[in-house]
Amino acid sequence: DAEAKQITCLKEAAVGDFDAFEDELLAAEQAVHEATARRLQMDVACLSQELECVHDADAEKQRRLESLRTELTEVRGEEERRQIRLNEAEVAIERLTQENHQMQNLIAKMKSEAECPAPTSSMARRPMAAVAE
């Protein structure tokens, strides 16, 4: 019986040691779990801040892009208006050049008629205002 008591005592001690070991193991697992959860929460917080910074930078880039688009549209409009004015100026220069040539031809003709008047010419009998028309 003493041997059976001793074996029972050893078994109970072993079960008690195992229960204590199991409790320590569970406590360690719980501590690891809590530490991991805290670390993950901190990581999520950091990533959230980084994401917010990225969103802010993206929003700023979008505003800048819109500003540049607006500026480009204005510059294009200005360039179109400048091109229209340039075209109008070229047309006006061409018209004035033609008028100048006509006037030079008329002046040359009038000088020629003044130097050599032909009494039978119908131009010689017309008044100067009619010739200018």
Side-chain angles (χ1 to χ4, degrees), residues 106-126:
L106 183 60
I107 290 170
K109 185 177 181 181
M110 291 173 74
K111 280 184 181 178
S112 140
E113 288 179 1
E115 291 172 1
C116 305
T120 59
S121 168
S122 63
M123 289 297 283
R125 288 184 245 130
R126 292 176 60 190

Side-chain angles (χ1 to χ4, degrees), residues 74-85:
E74 291 170 357
V75 167
R76 283 181 177 163
E78 192 176 299
E79 178 61 22
E80 287 176 18
R81 290 186 294 278
R82 188 194 67 75
Q83 188 62 44
I84 290 169
R85 287 193 306 271

Side-chain angles (χ1 to χ4, degrees), residues 23-61:
D23 290 344
E24 288 178 25
L25 183 61
L26 288 173
E29 285 178 357
Q30 183 64 31
V32 167
H33 176 72
E34 289 172 1
T36 302
R38 281 191 303 273
R39 193 189 84 239
L40 287 174
Q41 286 175 341
M42 290 187 334
D43 288 349
V44 167
C46 287
L47 289 173
S48 292
Q49 282 183 326
E50 287 180 27
L51 183 60
E52 188 175 328
C53 289
V54 168
H55 283 310
D56 290 347
D58 186 51
E60 181 59 32
K61 286 179 183 177

Side-chain angles (χ1 to χ4, degrees), residues 84-96:
I84 290 169
R85 287 193 306 271
L86 180 62
N87 292 344
E88 290 171 349
E90 288 173 350
V91 169
I93 289 170
E94 183 62 31
R95 184 179 47 79
L96 289 173

